[in-house]
Amino acid sequence: MTTLGPLARWACAVLLAWSCVGTTAAGAASRERLSLDPGWLFHRGDVAVPPIRGHGASYGNAKAGNAPGAAAPDFDDSAWRRLDLPHDWAVEGPFDPNENASQGYRARGIGWYRRYLQLPESDRGRHLELQFDAIATHSTVWINGIVVNRNWSGYNGRNIDITPYLRYGNEVNTIAVRVDADAMEGWWYEGAGIYRHTWLVKRDALHIATDGVHANPVKTGRGWSLPVEVTLESSARAPRDAVVEVSLIDPAGTEVAKGSVRARVGALKSATARVKLAPRDPRWWSVRDPQVYRVRALLREGGTEIDRAEVQTGFRTLRFDAERGFFLNGEPVKLQGVCIHQDHAGVGVAVPEAIWAYRLRRLKDMGVNAIRFAHNAPAAEVLDMADRMGFLVMDENRNFNPSPEYLSQLTWMVRRDRNHPSVILWSVFNEEPMQGSEIGYEMVRRMVAAVKALDTTRPVTAAMNDGLFSDINVAQAVDVVGFNYQAGAYDRFHKAHPTLPITSSEDTSAYMSRGEFATDRAAHVLDSYDDQPADWGATHRDAWRAIAERPFIAGGFVWSGFDYRGEPSPFEWPSAGSFFGAMDLCGFAKTAFYLHQAQWVHDRPVVKLVPHWNWAGREGQPIKVMVATNAPRVRLLLNGAVVGEQDVDRFEMATFQVPYAPGWLEAVALRGNAELARDRVETSGAPARLVLEPERTALAGDGLDAVPVTVSAVDAQGRPVPTANLHVRFELEGEGAIIGVGNGDPNSHEADKAGERSLYNGLAQVIVQSRRGGGGALKLRAVSPGLQDAQALLELRAAPALPAVPGAQPTTTPPYWRISPPQAERPDPHQVLADSDMNTWGWGAPPMKQQPQALPWRTYRAELRLRADRNDGHARLSFLEIAGRAEIWVDGVRVAEKTSASPGPLSVPLAAGPLRREITVLLQSQPGQPSGIVGRVIVEAGP
């Protein structure tokens, strides 16, 4: 167990830095990136909108700011659930055999989110951008009842300029998001909802564009050049001049190079500033020593900093060679890769950064040096971690389509990710049926061109599972040919196309149930001896042999690094998750983990013995024993007696048949007669007590940090019981929460969001997250009938919460008013305006100030839609300022009168009644004096 590790500390620091980047020396914030995660309202299911009937309703429906239903600013969401983002509603629901197997038998459907915020007057004139890192799946966003964005993917972020639509001061802004998670993009669990972070970014009207800094080092002879492009945008009302300063910060935080350039940006225009830096002797980024630099761009106007942005970069070279594979910094590196999806036990796709860090650490321990994020762009913070941990990344596009809407998803990914030293390949698709056709070739040709327009430093690939030998096919349009499950074609293709670089983009697909060593297909259980390849795949050992023995293949990406929900091949119900992973959904190792560890780890001895040694009732019967090791020879002992010794095949490992006898089995890794390492399994008794093992013993009390805790059982002598499948209940004390539980069993239908879980073959996992402002300690307790309880103490270290936009209380106000022409006599308050009359009366919203008129009377009319929590008979309709004498009518009944002509307020009690009210104001001006409803009109809660 460890305390808060370097990666966790770095992640916390980066999260904090995101919010305050751009603070000048004088302390004035030139840029604020504020979390919008807290304070949302959520409704599961769609919200019906009454059919639009009649001219008036049709006319109103077509107007900006007049969205109907749950998108409306004054919609009644008082009964909605309150929650913080990120959020995956699908993982909260039960398993249902009538739902889609590929989506893990979890209902998805439609959901709505709403949030309120107020902005200070000082924000007026700034550029404000709403950022959603990802929403599953299709979504529409409204600001104050105006549609501002529609998006057709659950994996790309969007950066929405909301400056034109906002209100400031005392007025409240409404964000509404409709999420359609019935729409599917994949054949795996995709979750549902706003499952990544949400931000409000405040910048000067003249600013650095989002993802507007591009800095990829270029090797030039014996030195390096760092060309930097900074894209500027302006929402100002006139052209402006500024200076762009660019600096390079080394891993120790020292500025090592600097340059500047002047720029002029027109009103509502963009411009690109270019600066070339010449760093001297930079430290190289590599898998073993990932040295990360930062490029900082400052925007100054008249000597004052008005914006800044930073990106990570690294100094490294890469190339794919058709004969010798992949080279990093001029040295050959075999890609020891895995493909992974993005869901985790307990949390679905709403995975905290700390859990992502845990997942990546598990991959590092396995010997992985490359990750293919299948089949979509990952969260931005995950690529930051990949940079700092030394992974090589295949960054993959989701939707194969060069039409403008979908091409924008690809270019968004490239623009966002093109500075990361970890990214070595762009992938434009996975296994498309048109891959062997002229149509597919032409589509890819256009997508590759779009990538190259943004980044010429990395090759483009596509993951092909067929069509490689067609007359016209995708392989002719990419830089590196990706093979999915085409091991039999490696040699043939290389011989036919000796100048084309090749990598396996996906291989293996072998099944395992963690901790199971006998196949029972009726029970949906598959043994963990690496003997269960899919019909289209290969065992882990055979797939890697085919790659490792061919120097011209750059490497491979195992399907898959972790189990994931959905795609329960080769089964269906009741299996709800995959069996492909080298680790299960919790990150617990299967045999495949140790096989690859033995194949891929070269700097330390590896030896792992499987299976466990609890085989009561099979005494004297042979048990298949496998030893995974990177040693050349292994010796096996049973209860201290040698039962065998073998040379180790570096791909197949070593296998023994051992008659079972209770006791202990030990594997000794040897080089010659020298012992390198050993591993041991031992027969245990019945479970006697529970054990809790946090991956870390300290958390930041920022409401973001989370830690996975392994739950297991041991016998009276403290030996692990790998066959325990008992039920465990959890209790947590302190300023934190249990956000999910799991056990890695793809056949389990126990709830992910619960305070209990059963062990599966000896293990379960509970995920604990801190609360904002948390401190002191968290005490986690595990209880199971008949066993001794377990406790784990987690230190909560004080940490500032991520600066966030406070939630605001919703206000109820009429969205617009109809205003009659001036009249000589007091109008009839019951006058009916024809439904088709859009022009006799005017339109307006406070402040509605009329200049002196010869005719003194006007009628103001609006529809008021009350919230249920304002319809209790205690609320008041408040006019903050009316100029002139006034009568107030509600649903045809006079409820108040203002007798003074001087400007002033008026507050009217609202009796309980219908949620929709017609408000009529008869207003009489004084000669020579302006009149009107000058101040806001709001409904205020009563005592």
Tab-separated table of all heavy atoms in Angstrom, residues 7 344 352-364 385 389 562 583-589 695-696 706-708 710 765:
chain	number	residue	atom	x	y	z
A	7	LEU	N	1.520	10.321	-9.541
A	7	LEU	CA	0.541	10.551	-10.598
A	7	LEU	C	-0.717	11.181	-10.029
A	7	LEU	O	-1.283	12.107	-10.607
A	7	LEU	CB	0.205	9.229	-11.293
A	7	LEU	CG	-0.772	9.373	-12.470
A	7	LEU	CD1	-0.154	10.209	-13.571
A	7	LEU	CD2	-1.162	8.008	-12.996
A	344	HIS	N	-15.584	0.922	-16.230
A	344	HIS	CA	-14.943	0.253	-15.107
A	344	HIS	C	-16.025	-0.205	-14.141
A	344	HIS	O	-17.137	0.327	-14.116
A	344	HIS	CB	-13.963	1.200	-14.400
A	344	HIS	CG	-13.120	0.528	-13.360
A	344	HIS	ND1	-11.969	-0.168	-13.681
A	344	HIS	CD2	-13.267	0.396	-12.024
A	344	HIS	CE1	-11.435	-0.671	-12.577
A	344	HIS	NE2	-12.210	-0.341	-11.553
A	352	PRO	N	-13.705	8.207	-12.654
A	352	PRO	CA	-12.867	9.279	-12.099
A	352	PRO	C	-11.428	9.176	-12.602
A	352	PRO	O	-10.935	8.091	-12.917
A	352	PRO	CB	-12.929	9.030	-10.584
A	352	PRO	CG	-14.167	8.227	-10.359
A	352	PRO	CD	-14.306	7.373	-11.592
A	353	GLU	N	-10.748	10.311	-12.644
A	353	GLU	CA	-9.371	10.332	-13.129
A	353	GLU	C	-8.480	9.393	-12.324
A	353	GLU	O	-7.592	8.730	-12.869
A	353	GLU	CB	-8.799	11.758	-13.063
A	353	GLU	CG	-9.294	12.683	-14.148
A	353	GLU	CD	-10.616	13.344	-13.791
A	353	GLU	OE1	-11.323	12.831	-12.896
A	353	GLU	OE2	-10.958	14.353	-14.414
A	354	ALA	N	-8.707	9.334	-11.015
A	354	ALA	CA	-7.864	8.483	-10.175
A	354	ALA	C	-8.048	7.011	-10.512
A	354	ALA	O	-7.110	6.221	-10.379
A	354	ALA	CB	-8.190	8.725	-8.701
A	355	ILE	N	-9.239	6.630	-10.951
A	355	ILE	CA	-9.461	5.238	-11.347
A	355	ILE	C	-8.812	4.983	-12.708
A	355	ILE	O	-8.270	3.897	-12.964
A	355	ILE	CB	-10.959	4.901	-11.357
A	355	ILE	CG1	-11.549	5.122	-9.964
A	355	ILE	CG2	-11.195	3.460	-11.800
A	355	ILE	CD1	-10.884	4.335	-8.850
A	356	TRP	N	-8.830	5.977	-13.578
A	356	TRP	CA	-8.080	5.843	-14.832
A	356	TRP	C	-6.587	5.659	-14.546
A	356	TRP	O	-5.915	4.840	-15.185
A	356	TRP	CB	-8.292	7.066	-15.729
A	356	TRP	CG	-9.374	6.880	-16.739
A	356	TRP	CD1	-10.571	7.525	-16.803
A	356	TRP	CD2	-9.356	5.966	-17.847
A	356	TRP	NE1	-11.301	7.078	-17.877
A	356	TRP	CE2	-10.585	6.126	-18.542
A	356	TRP	CE3	-8.430	5.037	-18.319
A	356	TRP	CZ2	-10.891	5.384	-19.679
A	356	TRP	CZ3	-8.747	4.297	-19.457
A	356	TRP	CH2	-9.958	4.473	-20.120
A	357	ALA	N	-6.070	6.421	-13.600
A	357	ALA	CA	-4.650	6.286	-13.254
A	357	ALA	C	-4.368	4.879	-12.739
A	357	ALA	O	-3.326	4.279	-13.057
A	357	ALA	CB	-4.267	7.328	-12.211
A	358	TYR	N	-5.277	4.349	-11.936
A	358	TYR	CA	-5.142	2.966	-11.445
A	358	TYR	C	-5.128	1.987	-12.609
A	358	TYR	O	-4.292	1.069	-12.659
A	358	TYR	CB	-6.291	2.666	-10.488
A	358	TYR	CG	-6.594	1.195	-10.300
A	358	TYR	CD1	-5.769	0.383	-9.518
A	358	TYR	CD2	-7.726	0.616	-10.874
A	358	TYR	CE1	-6.057	-0.962	-9.332
A	358	TYR	CE2	-8.021	-0.719	-10.694
A	358	TYR	CZ	-7.186	-1.503	-9.925
A	358	TYR	OH	-7.478	-2.841	-9.750
A	359	ARG	N	-6.011	2.164	-13.570
A	359	ARG	CA	-6.069	1.262	-14.723
A	359	ARG	C	-4.757	1.301	-15.514
A	359	ARG	O	-4.234	0.260	-15.938
A	359	ARG	CB	-7.252	1.640	-15.631
A	359	ARG	CG	-8.611	1.280	-15.048
A	359	ARG	CD	-9.745	2.025	-15.729
A	359	ARG	NE	-9.904	1.686	-17.124
A	359	ARG	CZ	-10.642	0.684	-17.603
A	359	ARG	NH1	-11.262	-0.131	-16.762
A	359	ARG	NH2	-10.767	0.475	-18.901
A	360	LEU	N	-4.231	2.501	-15.704
A	360	LEU	CA	-2.976	2.617	-16.452
A	360	LEU	C	-1.810	2.021	-15.681
A	360	LEU	O	-0.897	1.426	-16.268
A	360	LEU	CB	-2.708	4.074	-16.803
A	360	LEU	CG	-3.727	4.752	-17.734
A	360	LEU	CD1	-3.251	6.138	-18.130
A	360	LEU	CD2	-4.024	3.925	-18.976
A	361	ARG	N	-1.822	2.162	-14.369
A	361	ARG	CA	-0.763	1.530	-13.579
A	361	ARG	C	-0.834	0.013	-13.691
A	361	ARG	O	0.201	-0.665	-13.740
A	361	ARG	CB	-0.864	1.959	-12.108
A	361	ARG	CG	-0.378	3.355	-11.839
A	361	ARG	CD	-0.199	3.623	-10.353
A	361	ARG	NE	-1.450	3.648	-9.623
A	361	ARG	CZ	-2.182	4.745	-9.428
A	361	ARG	NH1	-1.797	5.893	-9.944
A	361	ARG	NH2	-3.296	4.699	-8.726
A	362	ARG	N	-2.034	-0.517	-13.738
A	362	ARG	CA	-2.190	-1.968	-13.908
A	362	ARG	C	-1.615	-2.401	-15.260
A	362	ARG	O	-0.959	-3.450	-15.364
A	362	ARG	CB	-3.663	-2.360	-13.810
A	362	ARG	CG	-4.297	-2.128	-12.456
A	362	ARG	CD	-3.671	-3.021	-11.392
A	362	ARG	NE	-3.994	-4.418	-11.595
A	362	ARG	CZ	-3.157	-5.437	-11.380
A	362	ARG	NH1	-1.912	-5.203	-10.987
A	362	ARG	NH2	-3.542	-6.684	-11.566
A	363	LEU	N	-1.841	-1.617	-16.298
A	363	LEU	CA	-1.291	-1.954	-17.611
A	363	LEU	C	0.228	-1.883	-17.603
A	363	LEU	O	0.907	-2.743	-18.186
A	363	LEU	CB	-1.868	-1.024	-18.676
A	363	LEU	CG	-3.363	-1.179	-18.965
A	363	LEU	CD1	-3.824	-0.125	-19.963
A	363	LEU	CD2	-3.700	-2.574	-19.485
A	364	LYS	N	0.778	-0.866	-16.951
A	364	LYS	CA	2.235	-0.769	-16.848
A	364	LYS	C	2.814	-2.001	-16.168
A	364	LYS	O	3.841	-2.549	-16.588
A	364	LYS	CB	2.619	0.498	-16.069
A	364	LYS	CG	2.824	1.721	-16.913
A	364	LYS	CD	4.096	1.604	-17.766
A	364	LYS	CE	4.288	2.835	-18.616
A	364	LYS	NZ	5.488	2.734	-19.487
A	385	MET	N	-2.112	11.568	-18.798
A	385	MET	CA	-1.483	10.504	-18.017
A	385	MET	C	-0.610	9.625	-18.898
A	385	MET	O	0.490	9.219	-18.497
A	385	MET	CB	-2.558	9.650	-17.339
A	385	MET	CG	-3.379	10.363	-16.307
A	385	MET	SD	-4.664	9.260	-15.659
A	385	MET	CE	-5.761	10.445	-14.882
A	389	MET	N	3.227	8.737	-18.177
A	389	MET	CA	3.546	7.368	-17.781
A	389	MET	C	4.305	6.617	-18.862
A	389	MET	O	4.796	5.516	-18.621
A	389	MET	CB	2.267	6.618	-17.420
A	389	MET	CG	1.565	7.188	-16.199
A	389	MET	SD	0.045	6.306	-15.778
A	389	MET	CE	0.716	4.783	-15.123
A	562	PHE	N	-8.757	-5.017	-20.590
A	562	PHE	CA	-9.713	-5.225	-19.505
A	562	PHE	C	-10.999	-5.810	-20.080
A	562	PHE	O	-11.346	-5.551	-21.237
A	562	PHE	CB	-10.075	-3.902	-18.819
A	562	PHE	CG	-8.927	-3.180	-18.177
A	562	PHE	CD1	-8.189	-2.248	-18.886
A	562	PHE	CD2	-8.584	-3.409	-16.856
A	562	PHE	CE1	-7.133	-1.561	-18.307
A	562	PHE	CE2	-7.532	-2.739	-16.248
A	562	PHE	CZ	-6.800	-1.816	-16.985
A	583	MET	N	-7.364	-8.592	-17.892
A	583	MET	CA	-7.849	-8.321	-16.542
A	583	MET	C	-9.362	-8.224	-16.592
A	583	MET	O	-9.950	-7.972	-17.657
A	583	MET	CB	-7.255	-6.998	-16.024
A	583	MET	CG	-5.783	-7.060	-15.689
A	583	MET	SD	-5.101	-5.446	-15.215
A	583	MET	CE	-4.743	-4.727	-16.811
A	584	ASP	N	-10.001	-8.422	-15.440
A	584	ASP	CA	-11.452	-8.308	-15.418
A	584	ASP	C	-11.855	-6.844	-15.298
A	584	ASP	O	-11.020	-5.932	-15.372
A	584	ASP	CB	-12.054	-9.181	-14.318
A	584	ASP	CG	-11.721	-8.709	-12.906
A	584	ASP	OD1	-11.278	-7.556	-12.728
A	584	ASP	OD2	-11.909	-9.512	-11.961
A	585	LEU	N	-13.131	-6.595	-15.114
A	585	LEU	CA	-13.664	-5.244	-15.110
A	585	LEU	C	-13.158	-4.420	-13.940
A	585	LEU	O	-13.185	-3.192	-13.971
A	585	LEU	CB	-15.199	-5.304	-15.090
A	585	LEU	CG	-15.974	-4.045	-15.452
A	585	LEU	CD1	-15.621	-3.551	-16.848
A	585	LEU	CD2	-17.480	-4.305	-15.350
A	586	CYS	N	-12.688	-5.081	-12.883
A	586	CYS	CA	-12.120	-4.383	-11.724
A	586	CYS	C	-10.629	-4.111	-11.876
A	586	CYS	O	-10.043	-3.398	-11.049
A	586	CYS	CB	-12.327	-5.217	-10.455
A	586	CYS	SG	-14.040	-5.540	-10.019
A	587	GLY	N	-9.988	-4.718	-12.867
A	587	GLY	CA	-8.537	-4.633	-12.991
A	587	GLY	C	-7.813	-5.744	-12.261
A	587	GLY	O	-6.594	-5.688	-12.092
A	588	PHE	N	-8.550	-6.797	-11.851
A	588	PHE	CA	-7.914	-7.969	-11.249
A	588	PHE	C	-7.354	-8.856	-12.368
A	588	PHE	O	-8.003	-9.079	-13.390
A	588	PHE	CB	-8.917	-8.772	-10.428
A	588	PHE	CG	-9.495	-8.025	-9.245
A	588	PHE	CD1	-10.822	-8.174	-8.892
A	588	PHE	CD2	-8.705	-7.178	-8.481
A	588	PHE	CE1	-11.358	-7.505	-7.812
A	588	PHE	CE2	-9.228	-6.501	-7.396
A	588	PHE	CZ	-10.570	-6.648	-7.057
A	589	ALA	N	-6.152	-9.371	-12.143
A	589	ALA	CA	-5.432	-10.099	-13.191
A	589	ALA	C	-6.052	-11.466	-13.458
A	589	ALA	O	-6.436	-12.185	-12.533
A	589	ALA	CB	-3.971	-10.261	-12.796
A	695	GLU	N	-5.803	0.578	-2.743
A	695	GLU	CA	-4.652	0.733	-3.635
A	695	GLU	C	-3.753	1.862	-3.162
A	695	GLU	O	-2.553	1.841	-3.386
A	695	GLU	CB	-5.138	1.007	-5.067
A	695	GLU	CG	-4.091	0.754	-6.134
A	695	GLU	CD	-3.825	1.964	-7.004
A	695	GLU	OE1	-4.519	2.985	-6.853
A	695	GLU	OE2	-2.905	1.898	-7.834
A	696	ARG	N	-4.352	2.873	-2.520
A	696	ARG	CA	-3.611	3.939	-1.861
A	696	ARG	C	-4.243	4.175	-0.493
A	696	ARG	O	-5.419	3.898	-0.298
A	696	ARG	CB	-3.691	5.249	-2.663
A	696	ARG	CG	-2.903	5.242	-3.947
A	696	ARG	CD	-3.010	6.600	-4.652
A	696	ARG	NE	-4.293	6.772	-5.321
A	696	ARG	CZ	-5.183	7.728	-5.023
A	696	ARG	NH1	-4.936	8.566	-4.023
A	696	ARG	NH2	-6.305	7.833	-5.692
A	706	ALA	N	-10.400	9.382	-5.923
A	706	ALA	CA	-11.073	8.124	-5.609
A	706	ALA	C	-10.039	7.020	-5.522
A	706	ALA	O	-8.974	7.111	-6.134
A	706	ALA	CB	-12.127	7.787	-6.672
A	707	VAL	N	-10.366	5.970	-4.783
A	707	VAL	CA	-9.431	4.862	-4.621
A	707	VAL	C	-10.196	3.547	-4.708
A	707	VAL	O	-11.280	3.406	-4.135
A	707	VAL	CB	-8.658	4.964	-3.291
A	707	VAL	CG1	-9.579	4.872	-2.090
A	707	VAL	CG2	-7.567	3.911	-3.203
A	708	PRO	N	-9.669	2.579	-5.468
A	708	PRO	CA	-10.259	1.243	-5.460
A	708	PRO	C	-9.731	0.451	-4.272
A	708	PRO	O	-8.529	0.477	-3.984
A	708	PRO	CB	-9.793	0.641	-6.793
A	708	PRO	CG	-8.486	1.324	-7.062
A	708	PRO	CD	-8.563	2.691	-6.450
A	710	THR	N	-9.562	-3.372	-2.696
A	710	THR	CA	-9.754	-4.801	-2.958
A	710	THR	C	-10.308	-5.479	-1.706
A	710	THR	O	-9.809	-5.276	-0.602
A	710	THR	CB	-8.430	-5.453	-3.370
A	710	THR	OG1	-7.959	-4.834	-4.576
A	710	THR	CG2	-8.605	-6.949	-3.605
A	765	GLN	N	-14.403	-5.511	-5.383
A	765	GLN	CA	-13.824	-4.165	-5.347
A	765	GLN	C	-14.888	-3.168	-4.928
A	765	GLN	O	-16.039	-3.246	-5.362
A	765	GLN	CB	-13.280	-3.781	-6.727
A	765	GLN	CG	-12.516	-2.468	-6.780
A	765	GLN	CD	-11.941	-2.223	-8.166
A	765	GLN	OE1	-12.635	-1.751	-9.064
A	765	GLN	NE2	-10.662	-2.554	-8.356
